[in-house]
Amino acid sequence: MSLRRPSATRLLTVARKTLLTVLSVQLGVAIVMSLVDSYRRRGKKPKPFPVSAPSTVEVGFGSVTTYTFGKDLYDDMIAAIEGAKKQILFETYIWKGDATGERFKDALAAAADRGVEVYCIYDGFANLVVSPVFKRFPDNMLVLRYPVYAAGWRFFDLSRYGRDHRKILVVDDNTGFVGGYNIGSAYETEWRDTHVRITGPAVWDLKRAFADFWNLNRRRRIRHSERPLLLETASTWEPQIRVQRNVPRLWMFPIRSMYIEAINRASRNVWITTAYFTPDQDFVDAMRHAAQRGVDVRLLLPLKSNHIVADWISRGYFTQLLDSGVRIFRYKDAMVHAKTATVDGTWTTVGTANIDRLSLTGNYEINVEFIDESLAKQLEQIFSTDEGNCLELTSLEWEARDLHRKFTEYFLAPLRPLL
């Protein structure tokens, strides 16, 4: 027995070193790929892409306006801020310090100057490259920078590592915006994304989502008031609109369940648009099984996203999806960043969560779930417009890809849980 233990120990040591070496090489390859891709993109501008004009439908006791072009959205968001009477709740993942970012900052500061309560939240990690000068705000604006490292001494608590990936604007009690758009000049004209403006009782759910996050993290505002953001109790429920929130701190991840339930209930079609596609196998199986029972399942992705490693990893799912009958469309000439889906001409979701591990089981996210035929029809029309700017990936084309591409997909597959 005494002779076996050193041997077993040596084997474990070799196994650990081998595993660490392989993982290090994988991470190294991923970093090199990202650097090379960034170098190749220098100076390149996306080409024009088709968009749909803002369109409004009545849903329940309010309305929903859908935006597919950043300029249209930003103009209406600024107009809402400029018309605010009592309160503005503004939350974003990325807030660039460019002309568009300054435009929002100035509008929010002006609202605070005229007596409006202005609360702002932005993610510290996502804005590391933004100038510190831009991140200086007037004292009459209440600003929460969600920290780069939020775990504190609880480094072992995985629930404290999620990023704040949400994008919300709520003005007074009557208007709310939510969707995939961050704040920046590139997003205004160069990215294809989707956002919605909501009026009616569902706005209160967006307010509550903001207030809950603020109150959970308000003590991070060093040298500022730590008073909670209190809301009046809403007495009206909107049966056709539900706001789903991922809250890592509370181990709440309903958005993944929402998607899988909708896909499992589908009988006619499932059309999904996402910027990044690295889900768990159960999510992939739900899509496969839907296609196998005759549902028209379509997945729309960027042909080339802003994260090349995510592109390569997502391709590892293509074989089983195509073999099951799922149709894959890849958006060309611009970055599609939308996070939307529509099922059976009735169910729709628009929000901030990508279909990847970070969004579905890691980050703070918010998606709105709609049960309304007119809105579903509108999202289907938008999907069809986007589809016209796509290249469909066929099984024959996929099977004929180069050997080095197959190897890269296989080699990077272990990185899926990190994305």
Side-chain angles (χ1 to χ4, degrees):
M1 294 294 292
S2 60
L3 294 177
R4 292 180 183 176
R5 286 178 182 172
S7 177
T9 301
R10 284 195 297 269
L11 287 174
L12 286 173
T13 301
V14 171
R16 289 193 192 100
K17 289 182 178 179
T18 302
L19 183 61
L20 287 173
T21 300
V22 172
L23 181 59
S24 298
V25 172
Q26 290 169 337
L27 290 172
V29 169
I31 292 170
V32 170
M33 290 175 66
S34 298
L35 292 174
V36 171
D37 185 62
S38 297
Y39 178 79
R40 289 177 175 174
R41 291 173 184 268
R42 289 189 311 169
K44 293 184 178 179
K45 291 290 185 181
K47 298 178 182 177
F49 52 90
V51 297
S52 303
S55 182
T56 303
V57 297
E58 301 300 314
V59 179
F61 299 105
S63 65
V64 178
T65 303
T66 307
Y67 300 87
T68 65
F69 191 56
K71 188 177 186 309
D72 296 331
L73 170 68
Y74 291 167
D75 287 347
D76 283 2
M77 290 175 73
I78 293 293
I81 292 171
E82 291 175 343
K85 300 292 192 297
K86 297 183 299 182
Q87 186 182 72
I88 296 171
L89 310 177
F90 176 74
E91 181 176 1
T92 186
Y93 180 58
I94 297 175
W95 191 353
K96 295 289 189 183
D98 54 22
T100 297
E102 289 283 3
R103 182 185 177 199
F104 273 84
K105 182 179 178 181
D106 291 345
L108 291 165
D113 287 342
R114 64 176 185 269
V116 178
E117 281 188 336
V118 177
Y119 291 80
C120 299
I121 303 172
Y122 69 92
D123 188 88
F125 177 78
N127 296 280
L128 281 174
V129 298
V130 175
S131 169
V133 175
F134 176 80
K135 290 181 280 192
R136 295 173 187 164
F137 298 92
D139 291 339
N140 57 358
M141 290 175 60
L142 300 173
V143 181
L144 170 62
R145 171 186 171 274
Y146 188 72
V148 175
Y149 176 71
W153 61 270
R154 298 183 180 87
F155 59 89
F156 52 83
D157 187 351
L158 297 180
S159 70
R160 296 176 180 269
Y161 283 89
R163 305 311 319 164
D164 179 18
H165 194 244
R166 310 190 313 177
K167 299 95 178 171
I168 302 171
L169 171 64
V170 180
V171 176
D172 295 332
D173 297 319
N174 48 41
T175 304
F177 296 82
V178 64
Y181 276 100
N182 291 292
I183 303 300
S185 297
Y187 314 126
E188 186 170 10
T189 57
E190 298 175 9
W191 286 37
R192 169 55 199 97
D193 213 328
T194 301
H195 228 78
V196 290
R197 179 180 62 194
I198 300 172
T199 66
V203 173
W204 189 87
D205 289 323
L206 293 178
K207 290 188 67 170
R208 185 167 63 90
F210 184 99
D212 287 349
F213 186 89
W214 179 275
N215 292 334
L216 192 65
N217 295 281
R218 60 191 169 88
R219 289 186 172 85
R220 301 183 188 279
R221 282 175 31 82
I222 302 173
R223 297 189 303 275
H224 289 79
S225 169
E226 295 179 359
R227 64 187 177 89
L229 173 55
L230 302 177
L231 303 179
E232 296 180 2
T233 302
S235 59
T236 303
W237 289 68
E238 175 53 77
Q240 293 177 256
I241 303 177
R242 295 187 63 189
V243 174
Q244 304 285 3
R245 294 182 284 154
N246 282 358
V247 185
R249 179 78 171 272
L250 304 179
W251 289 109
M252 292 171 50
F253 300 101
I255 296 175
R256 174 182 175 276
S257 301
M258 174 198 74
Y259 265 108
I260 292 178
E261 180 182 7
I263 294 170
N264 287 340
R265 292 185 60 169
S267 60
R268 193 187 82 189
N269 73 295
V270 175
W271 293 357
I272 298 173
T273 301
T274 185
Y276 318 107
F277 185 77
T278 54
D280 57 76
Q281 189 58 44
D282 288 336
F283 196 106
V284 175
D285 287 343
M287 295 177 64
R288 291 176 52 246
H289 296 157
Q292 289 168 347
R293 66 176 182 265
V295 177
D296 176 13
V297 182
R298 305 184 189 186
L299 176 64
L300 197 152
L301 303 160
L303 178 63
K304 294 181 180 179
S305 80
N306 60 323
H307 294 301
I308 187 172
V309 177
D311 292 346
W312 279 98
I313 293 176
S314 70
R315 293 168 190 167
Y317 299 98
F318 287 179
T319 298
Q320 54 182 317
L321 291 174
L322 291 169
D323 288 347
S324 301
V326 176
R327 298 177 68 185
I328 299 174
F329 296 88
R330 296 188 291 176
Y331 198 82
K332 60 183 182 180
D333 299 332
M335 172 63 188
V336 60
H337 191 250
K339 304 94 167 52
T340 65
T342 181
V343 175
D344 288 354
T346 302
W347 180 91
T348 300
T349 187
V350 178
T352 70
N354 297 301
I355 300 179
D356 58 26
R357 302 295 184 101
L358 289 177
S359 280
L360 296 183
T361 57
N363 290 336
Y364 291 89
E365 305 281 1
I366 186 164
N367 267 53
V368 186
E369 184 180 16
F370 303 94
I371 310 297
D372 182 79
E373 292 183 0
S374 56
L375 184 61
K377 181 179 180 180
Q378 186 179 98
L379 265 292
E380 286 182 347
Q381 292 171 344
I382 291 171
F383 189 96
S384 296
T385 299
D386 290 338
E387 193 177 295
N389 195 53
C390 289
L391 301 173
E392 182 171 4
L393 180 65
T394 65
S395 294
L396 289 176
E397 178 187 354
W398 184 241
E399 291 171 0
R401 69 194 187 282
D402 298 336
L403 183 62
H404 82 276
R405 296 179 183 274
K406 296 180 181 179
F407 173 77
T408 304
E409 294 154 13
Y410 176 80
F411 185 72
L412 294 178
L415 298 181
R416 289 176 184 173
L418 303 178
L419 299 177

